[in-house]
Amino acid sequence: QVPIEEWIEKPGLPASAPRPKSEALVAVQTAAAEWRDGKTRASALPTKEWTTQEWLHFLRALPPSLPAEKLAELDAAFRLTEAGNSEITNQWLLLAIASGYEPAHPRLERFLTSMGRRKFLKPLYEELVKTPEGKARALAIYRKARPTYHPIAVATVDKIVGWSG
């Protein structure tokens, strides 16, 4: 019996909808937990064949803030601060901001002054302005970057950082 009313009329996924499961992402989730809990070193993580989606899943599976030493270990093993993939860089920088990981600050500025995509700008500036030091950094970077952003991105970031010109 298919609950037709639930499938057609109700919002969201029906309770009877199949729940897809990715063995690859389960393995990444496990690796993240083992590294987070100190059961394995970053350099021992099985990342050689990871795709962008697996890296994003790994970074998102970590606590929203980590000690700087933990981020330094990841950075030393995988050079995440200098990642060439914007999706991975964005996720790494969000974690770096939340964790106060100073070695990523120059990369954050380079990213925000060279990347104009609102999908990256908005969360990074939102994370920056959560602390007084971060807000000062956000305004300093934004002062340089603002003339290069699209008007829609400018309108968004103006509100986030409290830009008054």
Side-chain angles (χ1 to χ4, degrees):
Q1 285 285 21
V2 175
I4 299 290
E5 170 103 8
E6 184 180 7
W7 275 86
I8 295 175
E9 302 295 335
K10 302 235 170 133
L13 285 177
S16 62
R19 304 287 183 220
K21 185 176 179 183
S22 165
E23 294 304 322
L25 294 182
V26 168
V28 169
Q29 185 87 24
T30 300
E34 288 177 356
W35 176 78
R36 179 199 64 222
D37 296 342
K39 295 178 182 173
T40 190
R41 296 178 330 276
S43 60
L45 291 170
T47 63
K48 191 167 178 74
E49 302 293 322
W50 279 5
T51 64
T52 297
Q53 295 310 316
E54 287 165 306
W55 272 109
L56 292 174
H57 193 72
F58 175 81
L59 292 170
R60 290 174 181 151
L62 298 176
S65 174
L66 288 166
E69 310 82 58
K70 292 291 275 181
L71 292 185
E73 180 190 356
L74 280 178
D75 209 7
F78 306 113
R79 301 182 42 86
L80 291 166
T81 297
E82 296 306 322
N85 180 303
S86 295
E87 296 285 347
I88 293 169
T89 298
N90 181 67
Q91 196 62 44
W92 171 252
L93 291 173
L94 284 169
L95 184 58
I97 294 165
S99 301
Y101 183 60
E102 295 283 330
H105 288 176
R107 176 65 169 129
L108 173 64
E109 183 168 344
R110 285 194 321 271
F111 191 72
L112 288 173
T113 57
S114 65
M115 171 57 65
R117 295 194 62 194
R118 185 178 173 275
K119 76 176 258 183
F120 297 131
L121 301 176
K122 185 177 183 293
L124 289 170
Y125 280 108
E126 286 174 338
E127 191 63 40
L128 275 169
V129 301
K130 289 180 178 178
T131 66
E133 303 83 21
K135 184 164 185 175
R137 180 174 288 119
L139 283 167
I141 294 169
Y142 189 54
R143 193 169 287 111
K144 294 178 202 173
R146 188 176 188 271
T148 68
Y149 289 167
H150 186 279
I152 293 173
V154 167
T156 299
V157 181
D158 278 358
K159 290 177 187 166
I160 293 169
V161 301
W163 181 260
S164 61

